[in-house]
């Protein structure tokens, strides 16, 4: 405990970006939850834009609003089909 799960549009991360994200989230979570860094786990899952609404928005955002501490505010419509080079 605790476990962090992040879903995102597919993109390539450098090792430095991965290390930065892990360090920043681990520092914040250990401070806020008052736990040891060894207790924190982090999963990062790419989700294609074409299935975002079905696999993430619907079941995890719309269906569980009571769990959200921050609502999304999508600034543009989500893609309806995968395009080459989508990140």
């Amino acid at each position: 405990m605790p476990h962090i799960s992040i879903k995102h549009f597919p993109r390539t991360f450098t090792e430095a970006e991965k290390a930065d994200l892990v360090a920043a989230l681990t520092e914040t979570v250990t401070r806020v939850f008052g736990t040891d860094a060894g207790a924190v786990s982090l999963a990062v899952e790419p989700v294609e834009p074409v299935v975002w609404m079905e696999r993430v928005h619907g079941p995890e955002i719309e269906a569980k609003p009571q769990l959200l501490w921050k609502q999304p505010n999508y600034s543009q419509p989500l893609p309806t089909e995968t395009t080459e080079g989508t990140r």
Side-chain angles (χ1 to χ4, degrees), residues 39-51:
V40 178
S41 57
L42 169 61
V44 179
E45 178 183 352
V47 177
E48 290 292 336
V50 69
V51 295

Side-chain angles (χ1 to χ4, degrees), residues 10-64:
R11 61 158 288 201
T12 302
F13 293 94
T14 66
E15 291 304 314
E17 288 172 325
K18 290 178 187 179
D20 185 42
L21 185 61
V22 168
L25 291 175
T26 300
E27 187 282 323
T28 300
V29 168
T30 57
R31 178 176 41 81
V32 171
F33 282 85
T35 190
D36 184 73
V40 178
S41 57
L42 169 61
V44 179
E45 178 183 352
V47 177
E48 290 292 336
V50 69
V51 295
W52 183 265
M53 296 302 283
E54 172 190 341
R55 294 192 186 163
V56 178
H57 189 85
E60 296 193 31
I61 296 170
E62 284 184 358
K64 301 177 185 177

Side-chain angles (χ1 to χ4, degrees), residues 49 66 69:
Q66 72 280 8
W69 287 16

